[in-house]
Amino acid sequence: MIRRTFGSALLLAVVASGVAHAAPVSSLSVGDSGRSYASSRISCAAAPDGTALVPVAWVGLFSPAASDRALAWLNRNPVARLSYVRPLARLPLAYGSNSAAVAFSRRVIDRYAFEVPAIACAMDESQGNTYSADGTLEYGAAVKSYATVLPGCAVNPLTGVAQPYLNLFDGGDYLLNVSINGEALTQLGPTRPHTVVFLVAGRNVISVADASQSTEYYVRDTGDGMCDLPG
């Protein structure tokens, strides 16, 4: 199954009769038919009652013609009717695995999958972060860095014991100062685009600062801080 993914520089817009329909996403995955797309990152939005943030994604018609009609589905339930006038639909995702589809007919159906990690959309320092559609990567709110979601397990050479860790990456040619729980760790940049961040027991807050321009946060709770080394 082939997906064409468009990066953050793209803002999809279809202009006709002086009206533009713009997708509120920064990265898009176009379906097999070439007629629909889905956001390739999971974002967070306020719940209807405003008391929490919930994971959401978008599906829509790609360059729709005036006659195009489709039905958006989520987890086997119809969500919205799509047309040139209403080309977008927001999908309220559940934690775990989600299956979405845009059906133009019984034979033309684009299918998409979203895996929402349990840490997504917590109302803490990491508010504003987004997640890859497969749930494996978390992107900072300023989109200058990203990290693996599920901690790995390895021996920390500084302590000599097995500890959970995450991989942290520079998302471009930025100079990023990395700290964990208030203590300076390292600097990421063009010559060092990746680092391993070992986590301690309890709540860990990793900050990634681009001088005074922006600071991104990643939060992980490791419980007792113990982990099992891979087989």
Side-chain angles (χ1 to χ4, degrees):
M1 184 175 292
I2 298 174
R3 290 280 185 270
R4 291 178 289 160
T5 301
F6 295 78
S8 58
L10 175 66
L11 179 66
L12 175 63
V14 180
V15 180
S17 304
V19 179
H21 301 300
V25 292
S26 59
S27 188
L28 310 175
S29 181
V30 177
D32 292 336
S33 74
R35 298 172 61 186
S36 74
Y37 69 88
S39 51
S40 59
R41 291 183 188 172
I42 298 163
S43 56
C44 301
D49 61 6
T51 61
L53 294 174
V54 294
V56 298
W58 292 81
V59 293
L61 302 183
F62 189 85
S63 298
S67 60
D68 279 351
R69 299 288 187 274
L71 186 61
W73 294 75
L74 176 65
N75 298 327
R76 299 185 178 182
N77 295 309
V79 174
R81 295 188 180 277
L82 304 179
S83 66
Y84 176 77
V85 176
R86 186 184 178 186
L88 304 175
R90 190 175 83 166
L91 306 179
L93 303 176
Y95 288 95
S97 299
N98 295 261
S99 60
V102 177
F104 294 88
S105 68
R106 290 185 178 182
R107 299 176 62 182
V108 182
I109 303 174
D110 291 335
R111 302 183 188 279
Y112 304 94
F114 301 96
E115 187 73 27
V116 183
I119 65 170
C121 303
M123 296 186 75
D124 54 27
E125 294 92 333
S126 62
Q127 184 173 337
N129 289 5
T130 57
Y131 301 83
S132 61
D134 62 6
T136 61
L137 296 175
E138 180 180 4
Y139 298 87
V143 200
K144 293 182 178 179
S145 65
Y146 60 97
T148 50
V149 169
L150 293 178
C153 185
V155 174
N156 185 341
L158 296 180
T159 63
V161 299
Q163 290 178 233
Y165 70 90
L166 59 77
N167 287 295
L168 182 67
F169 300 87
D170 192 321
D173 292 330
Y174 305 103
L175 289 177
L176 304 175
N177 295 310
V178 181
S179 299
I180 180 169
N181 300 327
E183 296 185 7
L185 180 64
T186 189
Q187 186 177 73
L188 297 181
T191 60
R192 183 183 172 86
H194 162 256
T195 190
V196 172
V197 180
F198 281 98
L199 308 173
V200 297
R203 190 171 186 265
N204 295 260
V205 179
I206 299 97
S207 65
V208 184
D210 180 9
S212 60
Q213 296 187 35
S214 64
T215 303
E216 300 173 317
Y217 297 95
Y218 301 90
V219 179
R220 300 289 186 273
D221 193 325
T222 65
D224 61 11
M226 301 180 65
C227 64
D228 296 323
L229 290 170

